[in-house]
Each structure stands twice: as C-alpha cells, then as structure tokens.
Amino acid sequence: MESSNGKPPQGKEEGKTAPEGSIGGYESLHRLLESNLSPELFKEASRLLLGLNCARPLEAISLPGATPALAEAHDFDVQAFRFNADKEQMRQPRIVRVGLVQNSIAVPTTCHFADQKKAIMEKVKLIVDAAGASGVNVLCLQEAWTMPFAFCTREKRWCEFAEPVDGESTQFLQDLAQKYNMVIVSPILERDINHGEIIWNTVVVIGNNGNIIGIHRKARNAAIANSYFVGSINRVGTEVFPNAFTSGDGKPQHADFGHFYGSSHFSAPDASCTPSLSRYRDGLMISDMDLNLCRQIKDKWAFRMTARYDMYANLLSEYLKPDFKPQVISDPLINKRKA
C-alpha cells in the first residue's frame, strides 16, 4: 500500500529521543513496516494486518491542499482512504465521506476547568476546519472530547465538565456543522437537567443545518460481524492528574492512567481496515465509504436469514424469572458407571 499522506516514512531522527507512545520513533506500526520492509514484504504484511477490500488493497485518497497545510502548520496527522463495494446493476454507489478526530488535552489538568475546555475546543476546531476543507460529510469526535479522561480518578469534581445536550460544546459545533454542511457526532458528559441532573455518557448528533437531530446514551454492546462500518477512536497523550489514585489492581498509586496511544482507524463490513493514525499526535482519519458494501456483506453471510430472534426473546424472558433453571443435558448414568 502506498504512503497515505504523500510524505516519506517517518522514523527516529539521529540524536533525538523517541516520542512517548511511538514504536522505536515511528508514529505507527504501519509506518515502521513501510520504512523497514521491502515493497513486496510490506504489501504482504499490509494484506495480513489490514485485509483486502473487495479483494484489493485500500486506495489512498488525495486531499485538497488546505488539509495537509493545516495538518503541517498545527502538527496533526492526516490520512485518507477509500472503501469500495462491488459494482451492482440495480443500485448506484452510495459514497459518504466520514472523518474521525483523535486529540490530546491542551493544557495541564491543574488549570481552571473552563480554561481546559476552551483550550481543547480551540485545538479541535483546527482539525474540524481540515475536515471541512476535505469535504467530510460526517465527522466523529472522541469520547468525552471536551475534558481529560478523569473517570479513572473517581473524583467527583470532574463532573463539573458535564453539560446539557444543548450546552456550550454543542453550540460551538453547531456553527461549524452549518459552516461546512457536515454532520458532527459529539460525545460528551451530559447532565440531564430534565431528570434530576443525572449524568450520562452521551453522543449528541448535530445535523448539517446546525440542528440537534438526536442523542444516544452509551451502553456497552460489542457486536461481531455487524455488517456496518466501524470507526474506532482513541484519545492520545498522557494525562497527569493533581492527585494520585489507584486502579484497583494492587499496584502502587499513580497520577496518570498511562499513555493513550491514539491509533484511531476505520473498519469495513468485509473486515478490511485502514492503517492507524499516529500513536502520539492528534489526528484526522478520513474515509470514503460505499454504503452498498453493508448490504452486500449481509447477503453474503445471511446471519439475519437464519437467526431465530423469537427464540432468543423467549429465552431471555425466561432467564429473567427468579426461578429460572438453565437447560443442562447430561447422562445420569455417568457416575454409576465410574462406581
């Protein structure tokens, strides 16, 4: 696979310390392999690690000049790839350009909360501008993007970062969504003012007209072979907190949660993946996705055709009853034979 950003592969410069989170000075495993393997071996390694999209390696996308210029000026990684689908006779391709943003915090966690939030919004705006210049249709930000990942400390004062669905961060993004004709998916710590100010881990979906078109409150529900494109976003950098805390693993207390290694990427329904963004820099991953691939993979695997949802529903209903006993099939003569 060719280099996605048009620049020569990056490695550790002579006499310089490798950045925290790098792999021997390289921003990602993909770039390490690209720099150290022959073209033939690199092609095979990419096939094994990233898979093939419709039996072909992913294609890199050329972006408008404004995008790499913004990335270079503000030191964030940018990569872009295309997921294709097989050509159909009855449907035209349905291409959507989607972006992922990974970022570090912008100022120390000891700063005033309002200053921390403002600094993050200012740096994220530059990446949103790059996405807008690239014609991104749907842009996804990282979990709790307006704050440090302070949940690990278990200190309740960090709940001050929580805001209503139509709060400061949403208003900030509404203008950008309208400016760039772009849907923005904004995960925030929500304070539900209509229900006792309970706090939720919420995604606010902002339409391309700047309106709020919906919210989704997080539930852990990992899916295998779900026939959809998946964007995996991980924040980046090391966040050091004022007070030490423990992780409940018997190890000594510490003031950070470890290095967040970025590496955000897209996966397609056919299991092909993009390379990952940098392990230590902010980044923007862009992908053109042909949504026709979703139904093509559903048709190929036919999971829904053979599923028995009525059976699952009945079993779950029975399982929730206090007197439920699981079905266990065993031979009652086993123990007698041993005797």
Side-chain angles (χ1 to χ4, degrees):
M1 181 183 294
E2 62 186 279
S3 178
S4 61
N5 58 7
K7 295 182 179 180
Q10 296 179 346
K12 181 179 176 182
E13 295 183 24
E14 192 69 29
K16 289 190 176 182
T17 303
E20 183 183 13
S22 69
I23 306 176
Y26 292 90
E27 292 206 77
S28 66
L29 175 62
H30 182 80
R31 287 175 177 166
L32 181 152
L33 296 175
E34 185 179 25
S35 296
N36 291 279
L37 295 180
S38 66
E40 294 77 14
L41 281 177
F42 175 65
K43 181 179 179 180
E44 180 64 5
S46 295
R47 183 187 69 82
L48 293 172
L49 293 172
L50 306 177
L52 298 176
N53 170 233
C54 296
R56 299 183 299 273
L58 285 185
E59 304 171 27
I61 298 173
S62 296
L63 297 174
T67 301
L70 278 167
E72 185 170 359
H74 301 288
D75 192 29
F76 61 85
D77 188 15
V78 61
Q79 300 183 45
F81 299 91
R82 175 180 292 107
F83 289 104
N84 292 306
D86 291 331
K87 186 177 181 180
E88 299 185 16
Q89 296 186 38
M90 303 294 287
R91 291 193 302 175
Q92 294 297 315
R94 298 182 299 147
I95 310 298
V96 178
R97 179 163 288 191
V98 184
L100 302 179
V101 175
Q102 68 176 39
N103 63 273
S104 60
I105 58 176
V107 295
T109 60
T110 51
C111 293
H112 191 284
F113 287 176
D115 294 335
Q116 292 187 51
K117 189 174 185 180
K118 180 182 178 182
I120 292 173
M121 291 168 70
E122 288 176 348
K123 75 178 309 191
V124 167
K125 180 184 180 300
L126 299 169
I127 307 178
V128 176
D129 288 339
S134 302
V136 168
N137 303 122
V138 181
L139 183 66
C140 307
L141 305 184
Q142 68 190 24
E143 183 179 25
W145 69 273
T146 62
M147 60 181 290
F149 200 78
F151 311 106
C152 56
T153 70
R154 298 186 291 280
E155 294 179 351
K156 302 308 178 185
R157 67 194 187 98
W158 300 98
C159 292
E160 289 187 48
F161 278 95
E163 59 182 290
V165 166
D166 59 353
E168 180 184 11
S169 67
T170 298
Q171 294 172 29
F172 164 74
L173 293 173
Q174 283 177 305
D175 291 338
L176 293 170
Q178 192 168 24
K179 176 180 179 180
Y180 293 118
N181 190 31
M182 180 168 59
V183 174
I184 300 180
V185 180
S186 173
I188 63 168
L189 197 62
E190 177 202 351
R191 188 174 293 280
D192 187 354
I193 59 176
N194 293 324
H195 299 90
E197 296 195 340
I198 190 171
I199 290 178
W200 299 98
N201 193 350
T202 299
V203 162
V204 182
V205 183
I206 302 168
N208 59 317
N209 293 310
N211 56 320
I212 298 172
I213 60 178
I215 66 169
H216 176 75
R217 290 170 177 157
K218 182 177 179 180
R220 297 193 178 276
N221 185 20
I224 304 299
N226 62 9
S227 306
Y228 296 103
F229 289 94
V230 176
S232 302
I233 313 177
N234 183 32
R235 63 178 56 216
V236 68
T238 302
E239 301 174 355
V240 180
F241 293 94
N243 303 315
F245 56 90
T246 63
S247 297
D249 54 5
K251 295 180 180 180
Q253 62 181 2
H254 41 276
D256 66 77
F257 197 51
H259 182 80
F260 290 100
Y261 54 84
S263 305
S264 303
H265 63 279
F266 283 113
S267 305
D270 63 2
S272 60
C273 303
T274 66
S276 300
L277 286 175
S278 173
R279 291 176 57 92
Y280 59 85
R281 289 197 298 155
D282 296 349
L284 170 64
M285 175 64 77
I286 296 174
S287 176
D288 283 352
M289 303 173 177
D290 188 342
L291 300 185
N292 284 354
L293 184 61
C294 299
R295 193 167 80 180
Q296 291 174 9
I297 297 301
K298 290 178 186 178
D299 291 347
K300 177 179 179 179
W301 288 102
F303 285 143
R304 288 169 175 79
M305 181 180 71
T306 57
R308 298 293 181 263
Y309 296 115
D310 54 343
M311 183 186 298
Y312 306 153
N314 290 334
L315 179 60
L316 179 60
S317 178
E318 291 298 317
Y319 179 83
L320 295 175
K321 294 179 180 179
D323 59 348
F324 172 78
K325 293 182 178 179
Q327 181 187 31
V328 178
I329 300 175
S330 62
D331 185 349
L333 298 180
I334 288 180
N335 294 330
K336 292 184 179 180
R337 289 173 182 172
K338 290 180 179 180

